[in-house]
Amino acid sequence: QVQLVESGGGLVQAGGSLRLSCAASGRTFSYYNMGWFRQAPGKEREFVAAISRSGGPTMYADSVKGRFTISRDNAKNTVYLQMNSLAAEDTAVYYCATSRMWGYYSRSYYGNWGQGTQVTVSS
């Protein structure tokens, strides 16, 4: 079992940047592919980005390509989401999660969800 804790959210103006972190407990972090999802009020939780166990292959939602970058440091048991050129539509609670499968956007393939961190972008 892995426990995940997100941090780094906050209030930022449109066009600004934030870096989210997701710290994992346990010694099995490197066994998992990692994903970031987000959920805006009244909307379904949606895929944002994922990174493979090795930190090599990555995947992004079309809405964030070119603006967000996912990375991981297996020595620190942490995955990051660098968010640039933020817009009001990026406002949401951001969650990280684990997956033993690679290449899936559906949240049904992810587990061990963290509690989330709020990102609010003011226009």
Side-chain angles (χ1 to χ4, degrees):
Q1 193 79 3
V2 175
Q3 291 186 323
L4 304 175
V5 178
E6 302 94 336
S7 61
L11 175 65
V12 63
Q13 288 188 333
S17 299
L18 281 175
R19 188 174 84 153
L20 306 183
S21 298
C22 171
S25 65
R27 295 177 291 179
T28 59
F29 177 73
S30 61
Y31 295 171
Y32 293 101
N33 305 302
M34 298 297 297
W36 283 98
F37 286 72
R38 66 186 182 186
Q39 188 166 17
K43 294 189 176 181
E44 295 287 319
R45 192 170 298 188
E46 65 175 3
F47 173 83
V48 175
I51 189 166
S52 66
R53 289 189 296 266
S54 66
T58 56
M59 297 165 47
Y60 294 94
D62 287 342
S63 59
V64 306
K65 277 181 184 175
R67 300 188 300 123
F68 290 11
T69 303
I70 188 171
S71 62
R72 68 189 294 164
D73 185 338
N74 285 345
K76 295 183 178 180
N77 282 7
T78 302
V79 61
Y80 305 97
L81 186 67
Q82 177 67 43
M83 306 185 296
N84 299 329
S85 302
L86 284 162
E89 51 266 35
D90 296 316
T91 295
V93 178
Y94 284 71
Y95 301 88
C96 63
T98 64
S99 180
R100 291 200 179 271
M101 311 284 286
W102 175 249
Y104 293 94
Y105 297 91
S106 171
R107 64 181 183 177
S108 61
Y109 290 93
Y110 291 81
N112 295 315
W113 296 89
Q115 85 290 345
T117 185
Q118 175 71 48
V119 171
T120 303
V121 184
S122 63
S123 55

